[in-house]
């Protein structure tokens, strides 16, 4: 199993100037990901590894190596983490974290933010047909599942909400593009902001920047 | 409408039970759109094929029943009823070329879209929650590596800290970090915001009490605060020329309506 | 992720009495060691795993599998744990960072700079109502959350402070203008109090001016 146990003197010397062999880089990525409970970005890996390393390539190898194992390398946004395989969850009663029970309003609000982001409070209310109660948004922010996004360039410049990396991590999503049913919703036109035909109450700021859930996340 | 039985003066036991069921149901809904969505399911068709006209009639029938049973409905339910009655008339009457604004079909199509979208969001919310979740189905590293080699202290703060810090300064001594004790107080501003939104829908004279926010009518403290705020807001709106107020006699219900445009 | 989707009725029945295959047992041990906060004893593994499992044998396989990798299965007393390979310890420097909550004075100073930038020291003191200690500003500069801005063109030409890109990154903001105003804080339920009697001021920062946070202090 040990690939390069007896590296010679000269090889070590060279490694001061050259990137370490890919097998070594893979070990490094493995060690860093194992050591952290939070996802680690490729940028952070690059910063921590010796000059000239290519963590992206090492990650490809590492992900393959852990396929089907008891723990897997998963992608979370532009970061990576090691997580236990979800079919083994039953062994982990001791580690199970008590999940805060979310109200139906909070769950729906979360889903609307995830699928419509960046989305304003008024838009959330328009979709749900009721006002967003105090505390709902607060709770989701506190759980670090949503955060403030860019302000909308419409009258009043309202703040918008987007989901966080913590949200992706919690639900095992690689990116917001992998939300279940997203494609179907988009092709059914259900993610467009469609203004009401009359200038009725509360509808007016379905503004024209129709970016919707398409060009997000390229931060 | 097939609810003659509710017109009967004496309610049978089963009717009383039905009435109680209705109360429970009204409370179970999160606003008129939620109620409409539930009603639309009884049509047993794809939401895309829904008959908005039939739905409007179902809703109006439901509200009518509730009225007969003297169930106090929150204002937004009545507002929706008024709007659906208007929609119904638009859909039934031949289009009047002199009339301004969108056609009945356009309005109906948008309502159908709203229902479909709400249903879709509920479906995906359920799918989302059914996913494997961290700390329940999959787990993070239990022993985060600690190497006692180089210890560096970094200071950290969250956005919440920052915003609360700012709010603390700007509101000076008045600031108390997030407390719930004003929960039962409705301010004039809040009442104004609410009423401005709702009044546009209300067609005819409505009891000011029906503008009570959902859930506020049961708690006496909240009820008192909301009543006062709504009353003050009505005066403001009347002063601004947006609404008219009337009261039949001393202690009679105070009624308001939107000031007719012309 | 589930491999054995179509196990037949009988196989399921048997598995109630037979131990899972060794490969599966190895996965289980791997997941438990990974997720556990403490080293895990064989007895505990036995208790957690399906009846008839042999964690000792699974551990032998697992240890072998991790030989020469970036992390190893090590024995700690009579328990087992996954640890970083000793030659890679240098990669863990980042993990030793100790995090402390920023002091209230520092948070308030930072908030004022974020909301009012560019802002001078005297202005910060005026807003906070107390003097700003040298250490606080130094600390924020050292953290690279604030930096010096342009000098003010007023008598004494005082230096101003502005927030940095690092600040925006840390707080997940696209720009300092995305910070919510007081009104929005209140409607999100993040603060409860009314504005102080003297503070019609508090609300003005839904800034429509596109440069600078607010013109409050511009001469």
């Amino acid at each position: 199993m040990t690939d390069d146990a007896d590296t010679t003197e000269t090889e070590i010397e060279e490694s001061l100037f050259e990137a370490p062999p890919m097998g070594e880089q893979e070990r490094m990525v493995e060690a860093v990901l194992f050591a952290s409970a939070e996802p680690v970005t490729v940028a952070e890996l690059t910063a921590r590894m010796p000059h000239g390393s290519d963590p992206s390539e090492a990650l490809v190898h590492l992900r393959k190596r852990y396929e089907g194992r008891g723990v897997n390398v998963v992608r979370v946004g532009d970061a990576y983490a090691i997580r236990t395989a979800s079919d083994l969850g039953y062994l982990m009663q001791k580690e199970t974290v008590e999940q805060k029970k979310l109200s139906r309003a909070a769950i729906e609000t979360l889903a609307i933010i995830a699928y419509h982001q960046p989305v304003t409070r008024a838009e959330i209310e328009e979709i749900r047909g009721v006002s967003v109660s105090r505390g709902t948004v607060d709770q989701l922010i506190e759980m670090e599942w949503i955060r403030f996004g860019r302000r909308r360039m419409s009258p009043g410049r309202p703040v918008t909400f987007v989901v966080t990396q913590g949200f992706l991590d919690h639900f095992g999503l690689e990116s917001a593009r992998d939300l279940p049913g997203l494609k179907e919703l988009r092709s059914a036109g259900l993610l467009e902001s469609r203004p009401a035909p009359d200038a009725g109450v509360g509808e007016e700021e379905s503004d024209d920047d129709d970016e919707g859930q398409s060009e997000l996340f390229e931060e | 409408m097939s609810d003659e039985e509710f017109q009967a003066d004496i309610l049978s036991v089963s009717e009383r039970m039905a009435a109680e069921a209705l109360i429970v149901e009204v409370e179970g809904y999160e606003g008129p759109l939620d109620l409409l969505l539930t009603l639309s399911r009884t049509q047993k068709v794809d939401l895309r094929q829904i008959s908005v006209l039939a739905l409007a009639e179902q809703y109006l029938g439901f509200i009518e029943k509730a009225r007969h049973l003297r169930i106090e409905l929150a204002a937004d339910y009545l507002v929706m009823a008024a709007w659906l009655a208007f929609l119904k008339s638009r859909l039934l009457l031949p289009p009047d070329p002199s009339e301004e604004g969108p056609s009945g079909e356009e309005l109906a199509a948008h309502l159908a879209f709203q229902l479909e979208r709400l249903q879709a969001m509920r479906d995906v919310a359920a799918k989302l929650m059914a996913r494997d979740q961290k700390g329940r189905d999959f787990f993070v590293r239990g022993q985060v590596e600690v190497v006692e080699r180089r210890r560096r202290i970094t200071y950290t703060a969250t956005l919440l800290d920052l915003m609360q810090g700012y709010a603390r300064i700007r509101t000076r001594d008045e600031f108390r970090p997030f407390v719930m004790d004003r929960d039962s107080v409705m301010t004039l501003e809040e009442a104004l915001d609410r009423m401005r939104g709702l009044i546009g829908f209300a067609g005819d004279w409505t009891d000011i009490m029906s503008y009570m926010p959902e859930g506020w009518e049961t708690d006496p403290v909240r009820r008192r605060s909301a009543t006062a705020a709504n009353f003050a807001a009505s005066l403001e709106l009347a002063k601004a020329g947006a609404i008219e107020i009337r009261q039949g006699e001393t202690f009679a219900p105070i009624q308001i309506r939107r000031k007719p445009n012309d």
Side-chain angles (χ1 to χ4, degrees), chain B residues 112-157:
Chain B
F113 168 74
Q114 283 179 296
L115 292 172
E116 197 192 343
R117 183 173 59 181
L118 180 59
Q119 184 57 53
M121 291 325 294
R122 293 212 167 140
D123 293 345
V124 293
K127 273 190 209 159
L128 189 64
M129 298 316 283
R131 285 186 71 86
D132 288 335
Q133 293 183 35
K134 188 170 85 175
R136 189 186 76 181
D137 305 295
F138 60 89
F139 297 84
V140 305
R141 179 79 158 124
Q143 281 177 295
V144 179
E145 211 80 25
V146 182
V147 182
E148 299 281 332
R149 202 169 291 172
R150 209 203 271 176
R151 177 164 273 196
R152 195 157 57 86
I153 295 177
T154 64
Y155 290 89
T156 170

Side-chain angles (χ1 to χ4, degrees), chain A residues 14-204:
Chain A
E14 266 173 21
S15 81
L16 287 175
F17 304 99
E18 271 176 33
M22 192 41 72
E24 268 309 294
Q25 293 191 31
E26 202 191 311
R27 288 182 73 229
M28 293 175 192
V29 173
E30 190 175 33
V32 173
L33 291 192
F34 260 88
S36 169
E38 298 299 318
V40 184
T41 62
V42 174
E44 200 179 333
L45 284 168
T46 310
R48 286 168 71 174
M49 286 163 67
H51 190 255
S53 298
D54 182 358
S56 298
E57 198 194 328
L59 273 161
V60 173
H61 297 298
L62 197 67
R63 288 187 88 171
K64 195 152 224 160
R65 186 182 289 273
Y66 278 94
E67 260 169 32
R69 297 271 299 274
V71 297
N72 307 131
V73 178
V74 299
R75 200 181 134 190
V76 184
D78 57 354
Y80 291 83
I82 296 181
R83 302 285 181 247
T84 63
S86 48
D87 65 318
L88 298 175
Y90 68 95
L91 291 169
M92 249 59 80
Q93 289 102 328
K94 214 180 142 188
E95 281 75 31
T96 301
V97 192
E98 188 67 39
Q99 307 262 340
K100 239 188 235 170
K101 192 95 175 108
L102 280 181
S103 67
R104 177 174 141 179
I107 291 170
E108 280 182 26
T109 302
L110 178 66
I112 290 169
I113 293 171
Y115 284 82
H116 290 265
Q117 62 177 347
V119 64
T120 66
R121 188 192 192 82
E123 286 160 356
I124 298 169
E125 296 185 337
E126 219 262 311
I127 294 170
R128 295 199 65 230
V130 283
S131 61
V132 176
S133 91
R134 275 170 175 217
T136 300
V137 168
D138 191 27
Q139 185 186 19
L140 294 173
I141 290 179
E142 213 169 354
M143 295 173 84
E144 300 189 350
W145 282 357
I146 65 167
R147 64 173 177 86
F148 294 107
R150 216 180 300 203
R151 276 181 192 276
R152 191 56 67 71
M153 287 306 158
S154 58
R157 303 190 59 220
V159 293
T160 63
F161 297 100
V162 296
V163 292
T164 62
Q165 177 179 287
F167 165 86
L168 298 178
D169 189 21
H170 184 91
F171 290 100
L173 292 162
E174 292 206 351
S175 81
R177 268 170 262 251
D178 299 318
L179 283 163
L182 182 66
K183 239 196 215 143
E184 292 80 352
L185 287 185
R186 189 181 295 132
S187 62
L190 292 170
L191 297 182
E192 295 159 17
S193 60
R194 201 181 287 181
D198 58 336
V201 191
E203 321 264 341
E204 66 288 320

Side-chain angles (χ1 to χ4, degrees), chain B residues 210-242:
Chain B
S210 66
Y211 284 85
M212 184 81 56
E214 226 180 316
W216 284 59
E217 56 288 300
T218 43
D219 176 3
V221 178
R222 295 180 124 204
R223 186 186 166 92
R224 192 161 55 228
S225 171
T227 305
N230 276 346
F231 179 65
S234 308
L235 294 181
E236 280 291 334
L237 289 171
K239 199 168 95 186

